[in-house]
Amino acid sequence: MTRRPHGAYLPDPSAESTAPLPAPEITEAECRRCGTLIAGLDGRYACGVCGWVNDHSEGHRRLPRADEDPDRPAAGRRRPRRLPAAPPPEAGPEAARGAEPEPAPGA
């Protein structure tokens, strides 16, 4: 077994996540597709007029990892399961007979 020199330890990845992330900065730019003035967070933009979105790698800062997300569910908790879609309403007996015209007022 070969020993590693004392300075050859790998960096601890959890040491980076102990410092809180700085607050995001609101930035503005022109949409590259339609020219509308748009605002974004840290250089990441999405245009509400034409739907253009810049690539996430164009941002000014790195994106936080999942373990750095303050809204992440606690360990052992899952997101709530989505309920199945409601079935379409069934037609009642009126629909089976067909639509009956209503009598005109005063008739």
Side-chain angles (χ1 to χ4, degrees), residues 23-39:
E25 179 184 347
I26 298 176
T27 53
E28 293 181 345
E30 276 190 16
C31 172
R32 294 180 194 162
R33 186 183 295 164
C34 69
T36 302
L37 181 65
I38 53 178

Side-chain angles (χ1 to χ4, degrees), residues 49-67:
V49 176
C50 69
W52 172 82
V53 178
N54 72 331
D55 190 62
H56 69 88
S57 63
E58 296 177 30
H60 302 159
R61 300 180 193 167
R62 71 171 180 82
L63 290 171
R65 295 187 310 260
D67 60 340

Side-chain angles (χ1 to χ4, degrees), residues 82-104:
R82 293 186 72 186
L83 297 175
E90 294 185 23
E94 296 83 24
R97 289 188 301 214
E100 297 178 13
E102 292 187 22

Side-chain angles (χ1 to χ4, degrees), residues 73-78:
R77 279 193 62 200
R78 294 183 184 169

